[in-house]
């Protein structure tokens, strides 16, 4: 049985998807938010999952916040820390402490569109495919080893909200999947630090489902 701690800052819909997936051999030990008004906390409380708030505004410096957060997490000795819409940049020492055992979800097909406002960035770039990435967290923001990605089409007339909604739907599918692989010890790293999945037979199925091929038939 593996134990996980999930960090959120707001809505927590990815956290909810992970809870709802009822993953095998995994216990959600606690949900921690950096804001007392994070909506996801209520959901967690309703599920009788222990919750904590480590409010970043109560700490003078980032390292002090990081230390307090790590202390709170480590009460539970988690095998895995899951960032699910956690909107604070974490320092190098913190990230090193959870090396190869902290996942994040980013709403773009990394390495494209790192940072904030990814859907706006995608629309501005005019890409035809967009998506989401689950990756391990390293000190370089949005650059850690990639576990799984899913693509969605960018459609004519999309705005940030419609695109975000389409991406979020695949986020809710790939994040529980990545966590289940971690729990199953199916994630390894190659000599270049890239993720190597072990014994995954259904990876292709996911790939196929989200494969987007434009219809090139033209009637004009
Ligand atoms: C998601 O789009 C996630 O990829 C990004 O922030 C958003 C959080 O949404 N990091 P939620 O709090 O999980 O609903």
């Amino acid at each position: 049985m593996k134990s996980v701690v999930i960090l959120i800052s707001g809505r927590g819909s990815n956290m909810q998807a992970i809870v709802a997936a009822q993953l095998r051999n995994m216990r959600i030990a606690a949900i921690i938010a950096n804001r007392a008004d994070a909506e996801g906390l209520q959901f967690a409380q309703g599920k009788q999952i222990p919750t904590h708030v480590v409010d970043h505004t109560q700490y003078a410096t980032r390292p002090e916040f990081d230390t307090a957060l790590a202390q709170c997490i480590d009460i539970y000795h988690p095998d895995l820390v899951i960032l699910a819409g956690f909107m604070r940049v974490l320092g190098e020492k913190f990230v090193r402490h959870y090396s190869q055992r902290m996942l994040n979800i980013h709403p773009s097909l990394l390495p494209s569109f790192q940072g904030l406002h990814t859907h706006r960035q995608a629309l501005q770039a005019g890409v035809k495919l967009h998506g989401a990435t689950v990756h391990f967290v390293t000190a370089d923001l949005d650059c850690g080893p990639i576990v799984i990605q899913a693509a969605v089409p960018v459609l004519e007339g999309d705005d940030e909200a419609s695109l975000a909604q389409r991406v979020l739907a695949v986020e809710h599918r790939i994040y529980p999947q990545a966590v289940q692989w971690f729990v199953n010890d199916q994630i390894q790293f190659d000599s270049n630090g890239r993720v190597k999945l072990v014994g995954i037979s259904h990876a292709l199925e996911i790939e196929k489902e989200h494969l987007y091929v434009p219809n090139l038939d033209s009637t004009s």
Side-chain angles (χ1 to χ4, degrees), residues 37-51:
D37 62 356
E39 303 93 302
L41 287 173
Q42 285 167 15
F43 171 87
Q45 283 152 7
K47 296 278 178 196
Q48 276 75 50
I49 301 169
T51 59

Side-chain angles (χ1 to χ4, degrees), residues 19-58:
V19 173
Q22 299 186 311
L23 302 179
R24 290 179 307 281
N25 302 321
M26 186 190 92
R27 193 174 69 87
I28 299 174
I31 311 284
I32 304 173
N34 66 308
R35 306 164 54 110
D37 62 356
E39 303 93 302
L41 287 173
Q42 285 167 15
F43 171 87
Q45 283 152 7
K47 296 278 178 196
Q48 276 75 50
I49 301 169
T51 59
H52 296 268
V53 175
V54 182
D55 181 349
H56 63 277
T57 64
Q58 301 301 306

Side-chain angles (χ1 to χ4, degrees), residues 11-14 85 105-107 168 171:
R11 179 177 59 183
S13 69
N14 277 289
I105 189 153
H106 184 78
L168 196 63
E171 291 185 39

Side-chain angles (χ1 to χ4, degrees), residues 19 24 26-27 29 34 39 68 72 78 85 105 117 120 133 140 157 166 174 181 183 187 189 212 218:
V19 173
R24 290 179 307 281
M26 186 190 92
R27 193 174 69 87
N34 66 308
E39 303 93 302
C72 186
I105 189 153
H117 309 301
R120 192 183 309 166
T133 303
D140 293 329
R166 195 171 309 120
I174 62 173
W181 284 337
V183 167
I187 298 180
F189 297 89
Y212 169 63
S218 172

Side-chain angles (χ1 to χ4, degrees), residues 80-178:
L80 177 67
V81 175
I82 299 172
L83 306 184
F86 187 70
M87 299 306 284
R88 302 298 298 170
V89 175
L90 297 160
E92 205 175 327
K93 188 174 164 211
F94 183 99
V95 168
R96 218 180 314 119
H97 180 59
Y98 299 105
S99 174
Q100 299 193 340
R101 57 185 182 113
M102 181 159 60
L103 289 173
N104 182 44
I105 189 153
H106 184 78
S108 80
L109 291 172
L110 288 173
S112 291
F113 313 134
Q114 298 166 7
L116 295 173
H117 309 301
T118 54
H119 310 305
R120 192 183 309 166
Q121 291 187 57
L123 289 170
Q124 279 167 357
V127 293
K128 304 303 178 204
L129 280 177
H130 186 39
T133 303
V134 177
H135 65 95
F136 282 93
V137 179
T138 58
D140 293 329
L141 200 64
D142 303 328
C143 285
I146 292 170
V147 180
I148 185 171
Q149 296 183 297
V152 301
V154 180
L155 301 178
E156 203 63 47
D158 263 338
D159 57 15
E160 279 184 61
S162 61
L163 192 50
Q165 200 182 9
R166 195 171 309 120
V167 171
L168 196 63
V170 296
E171 291 185 39
H172 294 165
R173 304 201 41 200
I174 62 173
Y175 216 175
Q177 176 65 84

